[in-house]
Amino acid sequence: MVPLSRRADAQDVLTFARTAAETLAARYPKDLTTEPRKDARKGRLYLDVARNGYAQTVVAPFAVRARPGAPVAAPLDWDELDAPGLTARRWTLRDLGDRLDRGPWAGLNRHGRGLTAAARRLRGLRGSAG
């Protein structure tokens, strides 16, 4: 989980995510991979960073979708699944409310950093990979 301050553009964040995935896969080659082909993964966990783009079918929690109105992929509580009118456009950046302060994301928005700081920490990990 890398809390960002929302200043970086989508391409910079994607580049960072790819570098982070490659770093983790290099550090833990028996457990992790960035290999998209299933037959080449050999039981390792696939670190997929490209699922929040056009025509993708899996979206990370709280990712803003590239649609009019900026709908957000908000995790649901079990009791919300049968809510009348529930659609993929239910929540937007403007009406997420306190959802970011629940569960594993609680307080995360208070720790946002620029992508530069995150990249600096990642370079430190890359230097110690092996």
Side-chain angles (χ1 to χ4, degrees), residues 28-114:
Y28 303 100
K30 292 180 182 175
D31 301 312
L32 306 173
T33 184
T34 57
E35 175 58 57
R37 291 184 353 255
K38 286 184 183 180
D39 61 335
R41 294 181 198 162
K42 300 182 181 8
R44 295 174 292 171
L45 179 67
Y46 175 44
L47 302 175
D48 186 354
V49 298
R51 292 290 158 208
N52 197 21
Y54 178 75
Q56 300 302 313
T57 57
V58 177
V59 179
F62 299 112
V64 179
R65 294 185 175 108
R67 299 276 185 228
V72 175
L76 301 175
D77 290 328
W78 285 110
D79 61 343
E80 295 176 294
L81 291 177
D82 294 324
L86 178 64
T87 71
R89 295 176 187 251
R90 165 59 186 91
W91 285 278
T92 69
L93 286 175
R94 292 194 171 127
D95 64 6
L96 267 177
D98 66 350
R99 287 185 174 270
L100 287 172
D101 286 327
R102 298 191 298 192
W105 299 276
L108 190 63
N109 58 344
R110 293 189 302 269
H111 302 286
R113 302 257 191 279

Side-chain angles (χ1 to χ4, degrees), residues 22-29 122-130:
E22 290 164 1
T23 299
L24 289 169
R27 197 164 209 198
Y28 303 100
L122 181 59
R123 280 193 299 275
L125 285 175
R126 289 178 68 86
S128 63

